Amino acid sequence: MDNALTVQRPSDTDALAVRSEVGQAANAAAAAAAFADYRSRKAPNTVRRQDAALALFSEYLAEAAGEAPSGDALASTPKAWAGVTWGLVEGFVKWLLLQGYAVGTINVRLSTVKTYAKLAAKAGALEPRDLALIQTVSGYSRSEAKRVDERREARDIPTRNGDKKPEPLVLNRPEIEALKGQPDTPQGRRDAVLVGLMLSLGLRCGEVAALTVANVDLKAGELTFYRPKVDVLQTHDLKDLQRPMAAYLEHDALAIGPLLRASRKGGDLTHAGMTTRAITDRVRVLGEEIAVDGLSAHDLRHTWATWAARSGTPIDRLQDAGGWASPSMPLRYVEAAKIANEGVILT
């Protein structure tokens, strides 16, 4: 037995040290990739909106402190957040107010700053105490926003920075019919389908741009398409879009490829598909033709949801048809459609 081989096992202390070393290395790797990993999970539009918010935060920090990391650094490098405090974030909110940004925009910008501060703290660039205080900085509720805007207006401070409308438009019945009644030309038939997809089916601009000819089953009278915001594939009855869709597919649509063909200034259709920008521009022009200035693709979807709610569509059906992840948005339409004095009895 004296000659038996003795196996040396690491002590518990040694094993703990190894685990600790490996754990610290894993933390460092995760910290370095935190921002990139987070951004890789977000939609391109979300990333662009966040980049705009961080560029503004960088501009504010430069004014407040004399120098500041760039918006790109704030979006990609945890250490760029070192030294950011709740006081600076609170000052950013006040700065945006003085710059004339809409309260809703300020709330979104603040949310982005708090999100990236949280990522920076997770990566070790911000102290937990600083993060906790940053998270206490709040935006404005609807009632607070109204009072804030009243005070800004009294001081001749703009309450909307940019051209975005305060509220979406809701078209009336004659305007809806005028918009759907496009001329019997290649561009007119294309436009009838374009507006119908949003006015009759409630599609988003990006969802319309992504449609292909294969999404349409004319025989079944159905449109099957993907909704990236809720990650679902839906099938919709074409409803009153059936006839204009049939005319467009028969005379103008490509055999395969994008559903909506782009058009030149003269009205001739091309073999390229319509981009979201092209859809936005075309809807604006069509609005001007019926004396509705500033009409947007979202206005058409908003009109669809508003009239659906006014007609008594249940919240769960409106949520599903509109492709919303929660009932909060369709509930707003339903609540807005209610008659305030319904049930009031006067004797």
Side-chain angles (χ1 to χ4, degrees):
M1 294 296 293
D2 291 340
N3 295 326
L5 214 53
T6 301
V7 177
Q8 296 292 327
R9 298 181 181 277
S11 67
D12 290 343
T13 302
D14 291 338
L16 180 61
V18 170
R19 283 199 302 274
S20 178
E21 185 176 345
V22 171
Q24 290 301 318
N27 284 350
F35 281 30
D37 181 60
Y38 168 77
R39 289 166 66 87
S40 71
R41 300 166 185 261
K42 299 302 174 185
N45 284 343
T46 300
V47 172
R48 283 194 289 271
R49 187 185 71 238
Q50 292 179 341
D51 286 345
L54 296 175
L56 273 176
F57 189 52
S58 171
E59 183 181 341
Y60 157 73
L61 290 175
E63 286 190 19
E67 59 178 329
S70 67
D72 288 342
L74 291 168
S76 61
T77 311
K79 66 181 182 181
W81 289 82
V84 173
T85 65
W86 76 269
L88 286 171
V89 176
E90 183 80 41
F92 178 53
V93 173
K94 301 298 189 294
W95 181 79
L96 289 173
L97 280 174
L98 292 175
Q99 296 295 313
Y101 283 90
V103 170
T105 300
I106 293 172
N107 288 343
V108 172
R109 300 291 194 249
L110 172 61
S111 176
T112 297
V113 168
K114 291 166 74 171
T115 295
Y116 279 79
K118 193 173 183 179
L119 291 171
K122 193 174 181 180
L126 275 179
E127 293 296 326
R129 180 177 178 277
D130 288 327
L131 174 65
L133 290 172
I134 287 172
Q135 296 302 317
T136 66
V137 179
S138 61
Y140 299 95
S141 66
R142 284 192 173 188
S143 58
E144 290 172 334
K146 184 177 180 180
R147 290 191 289 272
V148 166
D149 283 346
E150 287 173 351
R151 285 195 286 270
R152 286 199 289 178
E153 288 170 357
R155 297 169 58 192
D156 291 329
I157 298 173
T159 57
R160 298 201 66 81
N161 191 332
D163 298 326
K164 187 177 178 181
K165 298 188 294 290
E167 295 292 340
L169 293 170
V170 178
L171 300 178
N172 58 35
R173 289 297 189 190
E175 290 168 338
I176 292 172
E177 293 307 315
L179 206 55
K180 289 182 176 180
Q182 297 298 318
D184 190 20
T185 63
Q187 187 180 47
R189 290 188 291 267
R190 191 278 316 272
D191 289 342
V193 172
L194 168 63
V195 298
L197 287 165
M198 292 175 276
L199 280 174
S200 297
L201 302 184
L203 271 69
R204 297 178 175 90
C205 182
E207 294 165 349
V208 172
L211 290 175
T212 68
V213 175
N215 291 121
V216 184
D217 185 341
L218 203 56
K219 186 175 181 181
E222 294 175 346
L223 177 76
T224 300
F225 64 101
Y226 176 62
R227 301 200 105 140
K229 277 207 168 185
V230 287
D231 191 24
V232 296
L233 190 69
Q234 287 190 339
T235 297
H236 285 217
D237 188 321
L238 286 173
K239 297 185 179 296
D240 66 350
L241 187 57
Q242 173 93 10
R243 183 174 294 179
M245 182 70 79
Y248 173 68
L249 290 178
E250 179 183 356
H251 298 289
D252 313 295
L254 300 171
I256 58 172
L259 176 63
L260 296 181
R261 297 171 62 184
S263 55
R264 298 187 178 91
K265 286 186 177 181
D268 293 335
L269 301 182
T270 74
H271 283 74
M274 293 188 80
T275 64
T276 55
R277 182 182 293 276
I279 291 171
T280 299
D281 290 342
R282 188 58 185 162
V283 169
R284 177 182 51 77
V285 170
L286 293 174
E288 290 171 353
E289 291 177 355
I290 62 168
V292 178
D293 292 333
L295 187 66
S296 72
H298 180 64
D299 290 331
L300 303 188
R301 173 172 158 85
H302 183 78
T303 295
W304 165 82
T306 299
W307 280 101
R310 288 177 182 174
S311 301
T313 304
I315 292 175
D316 61 331
R317 297 304 309 126
L318 188 56
Q319 177 184 341
D320 188 39
W324 286 291
S326 75
S328 59
M329 183 57 73
L331 183 60
R332 292 185 187 179
Y333 288 105
V334 172
E335 290 296 322
K338 287 182 178 178
I339 304 300
N341 63 347
E342 185 176 358
V344 175
I345 300 173
L346 297 177
T347 58

